[in-house]
């Protein structure tokens, strides 16, 4: 098992879907970062930075409809 914690921040950047500019997520300071999902491991997304205010994370299997196909099984949120 490999546990991993990513520090999440939000800043202006290019949107993947529209190509426009808006608020985007950065993981450990990188925009295009592959998240390594390891079976049996725990991945934590630390959103304690103030830039995350009003930017909750949502996990989905869809790249074209961010609100569609939401993944909730095995996902725990801590406030």
């Amino acid at each position: 098992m490999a546990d991993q914690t990513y520090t999440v921040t939000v800043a202006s950047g290019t949107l993947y879907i529209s190509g426009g500019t808006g608020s985007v997520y950065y993981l450990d300071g990188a925009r295009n970062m592959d998240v390594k999902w390891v079976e049996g491991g725990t991945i934590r997304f630390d959103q304690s930075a103030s830039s995350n205010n009003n930017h909750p994370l949502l996990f989905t299997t869809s790249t074209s409809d961010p609100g569609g196909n939401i993944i909730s099984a095995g996902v725990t949120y801590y406030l």
Side-chain angles (χ1 to χ4, degrees):
M1 279 188 286
D3 292 348
Q4 178 69 43
T5 299
Y6 294 100
T7 300
V8 182
T9 54
V10 177
S12 182
T14 302
L15 303 173
Y16 286 136
I17 295 172
S18 69
T21 302
S23 296
V24 297
Y25 293 102
Y26 291 83
L27 303 180
D28 292 341
R31 174 69 175 117
N32 299 314
M33 178 180 218
D34 291 329
V35 174
K36 304 300 183 204
W37 299 93
V38 178
E39 186 174 349
T42 298
I43 298 178
R44 291 180 178 85
F45 296 93
D46 178 354
Q47 287 193 279
S48 61
S50 63
S51 63
N52 287 285
N53 292 348
N54 298 312
H55 293 93
L57 286 177
L58 178 70
F59 299 97
T60 178
T61 59
S62 174
T63 57
S64 61
D65 178 13
N69 303 312
I70 295 170
I71 299 169
S72 58
V75 177
T76 304
Y77 294 92
Y78 295 98
L79 300 176

